[in-house]
Amino acid sequence: MEFRYLGRSGLKVSEIAYGNWLTHGSQVEEDAARACVRAALDEGITTFDTADVYAGTRAEAVLGRALKGQRREGLEIFTKVFWPTGPGVNDRGLSRKHIVESVNGSLRRLETDYIDLYQAHRFDHETPLEETMRAFDDLVRQGKVLYVGVSEWRADEIERALKIADEMGFDRIISNQPQYSMLWRVIEGEIVPLCEREGVGQIVWSPIGQGVLTGKYKPGQPLPAGSRATDDKGGADMIKRFLTDDLLARVQELKPIADDLGLSMAQLAIAWTLQNPNVASAIVGASRPEQVADNARAAGVKLDAGVLKRIDEVLDPVVIRDPANTVSPPRRP
């Protein structure tokens, strides 16, 4: 496993992070989830990403139990706050009340005394940003959180948060967690240039395009049984934008490129995201241990300019680049 600094901080993270969105506490039984976490540890993965909302808080609890007994100092545990975790009007968003209550719940479920990286899961248009940033800074000063980051924020929102931190002496955001893949490149135009300038690193999710970049979805053929595209717990909604015959046919053209490099298609897709120097880590999820092992082997892979050009020539007409695709809800859900 290879490691990179997260933004302009002293924190190193594994190039491959293990994430449990749509798996732990939901699609995957706990024994299988634990087996996947063990496989991640065996591959040298030290960075684990979750969120309080995943599987209605169950995902954090499953991850906490799976990591129990591991040397805490050797792990980087990330979680997030924003989406609803209860029925109350304050059980959501980035108010001081919800942040404080949520971090305490996450610490309890994860069975840890501190969270390495606490991330604002979306931008909260109903809470003053100064309130959110002060609450995060308080958690750092209390030792409950070591670093703070955001997820799926727009460039202007990140810039505003950094300005407030600088003016008020708060800990700065060191990371952003966006969707990023060969197919979904919306961060490249505005977010990456800002983050490179300001010392904010990317921890990217869905590097294999919800599974589409593995090549298992074929144009004109039925969706594979048991795949994310047939999942009724949220996965199908995310993947459907990629299930056009033209896009799927183009993905099949990537297989000779992967074969030439001795890589699986998933490894090629993950390695592609890691060629971006602003990306510190790519999050992979899995329902089986062998998937973790396959994905982890994308760490340290270098793709030359010729390979990157071939990939662009295949995919360019179907790549999504518009920064406007990064959106937080106008009101708390």
Side-chain angles (χ1 to χ4, degrees):
M1 183 54 57
E2 301 288 328
F3 295 83
R4 300 185 181 188
Y5 287 104
L6 183 52
R8 201 178 295 150
S9 77
L11 180 67
K12 284 190 172 183
V13 296
S14 50
E15 282 191 348
I16 309 298
Y18 181 82
N20 68 354
W21 174 57
L22 286 180
T23 51
H24 295 188
S26 178
Q27 288 183 342
V28 178
E29 297 297 329
E30 184 150 350
D31 286 348
R34 289 188 181 190
C36 288
V37 170
R38 284 197 300 272
L41 293 165
D42 289 344
E43 293 294 332
I45 292 172
T46 60
T47 305
F48 293 84
D49 181 80
T50 186
D52 56 6
V53 71
Y54 294 167
T57 74
R58 294 188 301 278
E60 283 186 327
V62 171
L63 182 62
R65 289 191 291 269
L67 291 174
K68 198 168 185 177
Q70 296 296 317
R71 180 175 175 271
R72 180 63 183 88
E73 294 83 356
L75 303 173
E76 305 86 46
I77 298 176
F78 301 170
T79 192
K80 312 181 197 72
V81 55
F82 171 80
W83 296 104
T85 52
V89 294
N90 287 308
D91 292 330
R92 61 208 69 217
L94 297 176
S95 67
R96 172 180 290 275
K97 176 176 172 63
H98 185 53
I99 287 172
V100 170
E101 291 172 348
S102 287
V103 77
N104 289 331
S106 291
L107 290 168
R108 184 176 62 254
R109 289 186 291 270
L110 289 165
E111 301 185 47
T112 184
D113 295 328
Y114 65 92
I115 291 162
D116 294 276
L117 179 71
Y118 200 42
Q119 303 157 97
H121 210 159
R122 290 296 186 276
F123 187 84
D124 185 356
H125 292 281
E126 295 191 59
T127 299
L129 189 50
E130 292 82 357
E131 176 180 340
T132 297
M133 296 302 294
R134 185 179 291 278
F136 277 167
D137 189 67
D138 286 347
L139 297 181
V140 172
R141 294 175 188 274
Q142 293 164 13
K144 292 182 177 181
V145 168
L146 303 187
Y147 300 91
V148 292
V150 299
S151 177
E152 291 293 340
W153 282 28
R154 298 171 71 104
D156 64 302
E157 295 162 350
I158 295 171
E159 192 168 32
R160 284 172 55 198
L162 292 169
K163 185 172 185 289
I164 289 169
D166 289 345
E167 289 176 347
M168 303 185 75
F170 296 157
D171 255 46
R172 293 180 115 233
I173 292 165
I174 67 163
S175 66
N176 176 47
Q177 187 177 131
Q179 182 178 179
Y180 186 53
S181 71
M182 294 177 183
L183 298 172
W184 189 268
R185 307 189 194 182
V186 303
I187 64 171
E188 291 181 344
E190 298 177 358
I191 289 173
V192 167
L194 168 71
C195 289
E196 286 181 332
R197 192 166 64 245
E198 295 289 346
V200 176
Q202 310 298 318
I203 309 157
V204 303
W205 60 274
S206 196
I208 57 175
Q210 304 293 307
V212 167
L213 289 168
T214 65
K216 68 181 176 182
Y217 298 96
K218 305 291 197 306
Q221 294 188 20
L223 299 173
S227 68
R228 180 161 294 180
T230 61
D231 168 45
D232 61 1
K233 297 183 177 67
D237 288 340
M238 293 294 298
I239 197 175
K240 62 185 179 184
R241 63 166 66 91
F242 296 138
L243 297 179
T244 66
D245 280 352
D246 180 34
L247 186 151
L248 296 178
R250 290 177 180 276
V251 169
Q252 293 302 312
E253 293 180 44
L254 297 176
K255 190 169 190 314
I257 300 175
D259 289 344
D260 287 349
L261 296 168
L263 300 173
S264 69
M265 289 183 68
Q267 289 165 353
L268 177 67
I270 296 165
W272 181 92
T273 68
L274 292 169
Q275 306 312 296
N276 187 322
N278 192 227
V279 173
S281 185
I283 300 171
V284 302
S287 56
R288 301 188 309 277
E290 55 268 28
Q291 291 174 324
V292 181
D294 181 73
N295 292 343
R297 294 189 178 107
V301 172
K302 305 301 180 189
L303 305 179
D304 64 34
V307 169
L308 297 176
K309 183 180 178 183
R310 287 175 67 191
I311 291 169
D312 285 346
E313 288 171 347
V314 169
L315 295 180
D316 192 62
V318 295
V319 170
I320 298 169
R321 302 179 187 274
D322 186 356
N325 282 290
T326 299
V327 180
S328 292
R331 302 189 64 80
R332 294 178 193 162

